[in-house]
Amino acid sequence: MIGPFLPLLIGIVALFAILILGDLLAHPYRRELAAMGEKMISSRHFTESERSAIDLMLSASTSFLTGFLFILLPFFFLFDLVRGRVDKSQPPVETRGQIGRFVMLAIISVFAANPFAGLIWLPLYGLLVAVAAIGHVSSSGQLLRAFSRSIRLRRAVHL
Amino acid sequence: MAAREPPDKAKPEHVVARIVRSLFVIHCAFLAAAGGFLALAELSPYLASLKAEMAKSDTALPLCYLVWVISHGARRLMKAKVAADLKAVREENRRKGKRR
């Protein structure tokens, strides 16, 4: 009875097993992300917009839909670069390091929440970091801004 | 910065809303996956034969639906546990941040 559809049923179970495994593997990183994010929000070293972006990121980084919205991230990033809306000021070293680590953890978290969409945006992300390095732009700062834009877009369409 | 107090999700109306939303998401995701399967069946001969087999059987679709709902439910339960743990971590660090 089940014989002919067994591959399909295995496929469905495997799909969810990948997602559950991703959540389990990413959990230590998410804990670190949550702890670090809260510390950064209460710190005075960060600007208002950075803190707001961090807060948005913390609330949306485990969502499956955010994974899909991250496909838009390279476009936001490139849009800012092309329009010249980039911040080339050099933040203090400790702040820069923290933002870089936070962005890395957020990427791991969103990738684990939706690895299928992640396979599309992760290679593009690598390309963008290279572009940012050529343009002497802080890629983590730009990405943080692009993150918050994609999440704001999600909120705007009530997803 | 604006107050960051999250809505009280333990309120009964929020619990009902979350259950309804979860059911909606589970069914929409099932429809989307079924649509994806039908689209792929146009491209792959193997999936086309699987689709033909499914069309002949009465139990195939309910079975897939059942497995989907159970798997999706398991994932949502896991996510709820993870979210509760992350919330606790955030609360703890928020308190520490306020104390500093």
Side-chain angles (χ1 to χ4, degrees):
Chain A
M1 188 179 92
I2 300 177
F5 324 115
L6 198 60
L8 196 62
L9 299 180
I10 291 173
I12 294 173
V13 173
L15 179 87
F16 285 100
I18 289 169
L19 292 172
I20 290 174
L21 192 68
D23 280 335
L24 287 175
L25 289 176
H27 193 57
Y29 299 105
R30 284 180 176 160
R31 282 181 68 98
E32 190 185 339
L33 178 81
M36 193 177 183
E38 281 299 334
K39 277 180 198 154
M40 286 163 84
I41 288 170
S42 54
S43 163
R44 289 194 204 111
H45 296 299
F46 298 94
T47 63
E48 193 69 22
S49 67
E50 280 170 345
R51 284 191 279 171
S52 150
I54 290 165
D55 192 30
L56 273 175
M57 204 57 237
L58 283 181
S59 56
S61 65
T62 55
S63 157
F64 186 78
L65 283 173
T66 306
F68 281 119
L69 274 168
F70 264 40
I71 296 171
L72 295 176
L73 195 120
F75 299 102
F76 286 134
F77 193 101
L78 278 180
F79 186 71
D80 279 348
L81 281 182
V82 170
R83 296 270 311 263
R85 285 160 63 181
V86 289
D87 183 13
K88 290 197 178 183
S89 62
Q90 290 296 318
V93 179
E94 69 273 13
T95 314
R96 216 184 319 157
Q98 271 184 306
I99 290 182
R101 177 82 183 150
F102 180 84
V103 166
M104 182 57 95
L105 291 170
I107 285 172
I108 292 172
S109 177
V110 177
F111 184 80
N114 189 347
F116 311 108
L119 291 176
I120 301 171
W121 60 256
L122 207 58
L124 291 171
Y125 164 76
L127 201 68
L128 290 176
V129 172
V131 170
I134 292 166
H136 301 290
V137 175
S138 154
S139 57
S140 33
Q142 275 315 113
L143 273 173
L144 192 66
R145 198 190 293 181
F147 283 167
S148 67
R149 276 217 210 158
S150 51
I151 295 162
R152 278 201 189 98
L153 182 74
R154 184 188 151 184
R155 295 255 167 103
V157 293
H158 300 290
L159 276 174
Chain B
M1 201 166 167
R4 296 188 303 114
E5 288 307 315
D8 185 4
K9 289 183 177 171
K11 280 184 181 173
E13 62 266 31
H14 287 144
V15 172
V16 172
R18 284 171 74 190
I19 290 170
V20 170
R21 189 173 179 270
S22 292
L23 288 174
F24 180 72
V25 168
I26 288 173
H27 289 85
C28 284
F30 180 71
L31 288 177
F37 173 75
L38 291 179
L40 285 175
E42 298 296 319
L43 303 172
S44 155
Y46 172 69
L47 290 182
S49 69
L50 210 59
K51 183 182 144 190
E53 287 277 351
M54 284 185 79
K56 276 187 250 163
S57 167
D58 292 336
T59 51
L61 197 62
L63 206 62
C64 287
Y65 171 76
L66 196 68
V67 171
W68 181 272
V69 170
I70 291 169
S71 306
H72 213 305
R75 180 170 186 244
R76 286 191 93 84
L77 274 177
M78 230 283 297
K79 281 205 90 162
K81 276 182 78 176
V82 165
D85 186 46
L86 291 180
K87 194 180 167 191
V89 171
R90 284 190 71 178
E91 281 296 327
E92 192 189 326
N93 282 280
R94 195 178 297 172
R95 255 183 276 121
K96 276 186 199 165
K98 272 182 190 165
R99 230 182 288 143
R100 249 186 281 134

